[in-house]
Amino acid sequence: MSRSTLEKIVDNLLKWYHREARILPWREYPTAYHVWISEIMLQQTRVEAVKPYFERFITQLPDVKELAEVSEETLFKLWEGLGYYNRARNLQKAAKIIMEKYHGKIPNSYEELIALPGIGEYTAGAISSIAFGLPYPAVDGNVLRVLSRLTGEERICSQTKVKREITEEIQKIIPKNQPGEFNQALMELGASVCIPNGLPLCHRCPIQKECFAFHEDRVLDFPVKAPKKRRVTQQIWVFFIINNKGYIAIRKRNQKGVLHGLWEFPSVICDEKEMSIFQILNKFGILKSEITTLEKGKHIFTHIQWNIEGFFVEAAEIKENSNDFIWVSQDELIKNYAVPTAFKKILEQGIELLKKNE
Ligand code: SF4
C-alpha cells in the first residue's frame, strides 16, 4: 500500500465530504452517546433502515443512565427488527460499566472505549475521532473496499494482518485537525460511491485520479474476498398456538445458540429426530387441537438458514404445567414483546387467522 497514494487523497476526499455528506440524525449532534448508538446499529443494517430506530431509541433512552436502567424487555422492543440482539445486550452492559466506573460519562480515551463490551477497534475509532476529535482510524467493510480498490490490494482484506496494515497506513495520514470528518468521508464514499454491490460510481468519485482499480479497469476484482463458508440448513417447525381464550403461547429460547434468550413462538428443529406434529404438540402438553398449516418461509442468519414451516394451532385441551409457555393477548404481544424477524411472518399469519376467528 503506497503512502504517497494515500496522502494524495486526503484533501479531495475532505472537500467532497463537506460538499456531499448526507444529513443524518446522528450527525446533527455527534455526541459520544449518539455516535456510539448509531455505529452499533449500523453494524449490520443500512443507513435508511437505521434512521427511525435511532430516533426512537434516543427519544426513549436519551442518555447512558436511561440505557443502563431500562428493562431488557423495553430494550429489545426498541431493538426489534434490527436483529443481532447481542448488540443491544452489550450496549446495556457497557452503559452499566460507564455508570459505575465513569459516573455516566463516556470515556474519551480509545483504550478505555475499546475495553467496553461490544466496542471493537472500529467503534472505538469512530467514537474517538467523531465525538472527541482524536486521530484514530475507523476501518469497516466500506473503508476496506475503498482502500483495496484505491491501492490494488491483492490480499484478502478481511484477514486480521491485512486489515491491521491498512489501519496502520490510515493512521499515518489521518489529518489531526479533522479525524472524524476524514473517517466519515471514507465510510461515506464506500457507502454511496464505491458501493459494494454492482459497479462503483467512479464518475462521481473524488479520488478517481489516484485509483489503481479504476485505471487498470479492474474495479470488480477488489476487494479480494475469502472463500464463502457454507451455510447449514435447518428445517424448523414453528407453532402459533392459541388457547380457548384466544391467548397466544410464547416462550424464551435457550440461553445458547441462535436468538438465545429471546421470545419465540414454540418451535422445534426437526432434522434430528423424526417426530410428527402431534407428538410435538403432545410434548408441549397440547392434547387436543385443530391445526392449520401456514405459508412456508425462510430466514437467513450468518451461518445458518432456517426453512420454516408454521402451524396455527387452536388448542382445545392443555395439560397444566407441562411446558414453559406464557400466554399473552394479541395486544400485549405486539406492545410488550420483541418478536425476532425470523418469526415475523408466522406472527402476521397467526394474527390474520385470529382475526378471522373472532
Ligand atoms: Fe471506488 Fe471507482 Fe473511486 Fe476507485 S474510482 S475508489 S473504484 S469509486
Side-chain angles (χ1 to χ4, degrees), residues 146 149-150 189 193-194 200-202 205 207-208 211 213-214 219:
V146 172
R149 287 174 174 166
L150 177 72
L189 191 71
V193 175
C194 198
L201 314 174
C202 301
C205 181
I207 57 173
Q208 186 206 77
C211 180
F214 175 77
V219 290

Side-chain angles (χ1 to χ4, degrees), residues 23 44 48 57 69 84 93 124 138 145 152 158 178 185 192-193 202 218 246 283 288-289 294 300 312 343-344 350:
I23 297 166
Q44 310 282 349
E48 284 310 311
F57 195 99
E69 289 173 359
Y84 301 93
K93 272 191 213 159
R145 183 170 55 259
S158 53
Q178 298 186 63
S192 61
V193 175
C202 301
R218 291 182 56 198
K283 254 180 101 185
K288 265 195 205 161
S289 59
L294 301 174
I300 294 172
F312 182 82
F343 299 109
K344 271 278 146 74

Side-chain angles (χ1 to χ4, degrees), residues 102-119:
Y102 303 105
H103 312 291
K105 238 179 136 213
I106 297 174
N108 63 359
S109 87
Y110 180 90
E111 289 71 23
E112 285 169 307
L113 284 167
I114 207 167
L116 293 168
I119 297 191

Side-chain angles (χ1 to χ4, degrees), residues 12-13 35 71 89-90 102 104 115 132 159 199 217 294 315-316 330:
N12 282 348
L13 196 57
V35 176
S71 72
R89 287 193 182 97
N90 279 333
Y102 303 105
F132 299 124
Q159 283 176 348
L199 277 177
D217 201 13
L294 301 174
Q330 190 179 315

